[in-house]
Amino acid sequence: MAVPSPLEAALDTAALQCLARGAQLTSLRREVLALILQSPTPLTAYQLLNQLRQHRQSAVPPTIYRALDFLLGHHLIHRIERLNAFVPCAEHAHDHTDAQFLICRACGSVTEIEDDAITQALTQAARARGFQPGRAIIELDGLCAACALNPA
């Protein structure tokens, strides 16, 4: 029996997570998720659409947006607001209410972190000012470790 590739294993895990929630990772959704998982940098909806059209010539913008909505709703990907682009979710078990993203301005990579201390500090600072916080999605711009070591 052949061992599945890391990509196929990730897609199979995603399919099982969808089934556990009573949903199905259709072949189209699986293809879109595969494109996102394989990309070293975030992809916009139109970049995804252009890549998807290489295999599905009939794909139109609503096709990609419906797939992205499903993947977001099932916590398989994240939308990076600053870039208007999508990245895979590094940790499917978290609740997606709070997350932090490190965005490298040199190479474009995005790293997801989930640091409860950051969320707690932000919540505490907001409440001290009478603010009732909801979601806390933080996008931090800077240089990744590799780019910081080798500036262009």
Side-chain angles (χ1 to χ4, degrees), residues 21-44:
R21 294 183 180 125
Q24 184 178 5
L25 188 66
T26 63
S27 62
L28 172 67
R29 294 167 180 164
R30 188 177 177 101
E31 283 181 56
V32 173
L33 181 57
L35 292 171
I36 294 169
L37 287 167
Q38 293 175 87
S39 179
T41 58
L43 294 171
T44 67

